Amino acid sequence: MKTAGHCLKIAVIMVYYGDYAVKYFEPCFRSLEQQSRVNAQVEFFVVDNGATDESARWVRSLAPHYRHLDNEANKGWASGNNLASQAALSDGADYVI
């Protein structure tokens, strides 16, 4: 049970494949960074799910402070989310989005 004043730990997961990130992630990242975080610690996870090398380098340069995970191949959207969810929960995340 959470106590009063407990800072929630929230994990936000984004999975990308191919050149998807180059097309869509920059406005997404900007929007996420502008969100207010009242009594919450947010950690962002991005999962390379078989992206091109160029796309993966671009994502790392765009968001170096995000946690980057590599699924090594396109194992499906659920697999990428499971990889990051396991990491987030083992780090004590209260919520995973």
Side-chain angles (χ1 to χ4, degrees), residues 10-73:
I10 301 170
V12 177
I13 300 170
M14 293 157 284
V15 178
Y16 67 101
Y17 167 76
D19 66 349
Y20 178 89
V22 174
K23 291 180 182 178
Y24 303 107
F25 272 15
E26 187 170 8
C28 177
F29 288 173
R30 276 196 312 261
S31 177
L32 288 169
E33 304 252 340
Q34 293 174 3
Q35 301 302 309
S36 61
R37 298 177 181 107
V38 177
N39 201 28
Q41 174 189 348
V42 180
E43 182 173 16
F44 298 101
F45 290 80
V46 287
V47 180
D48 175 341
N49 206 29
T52 63
D53 289 343
E54 178 184 332
S55 182
R57 279 191 299 275
W58 183 84
V59 170
R60 286 186 184 278
S61 70
L62 180 65
H65 52 289
Y66 287 15
R67 188 152 167 204
H68 296 264
L69 302 173
D70 187 355
N71 212 13
E72 299 176 9

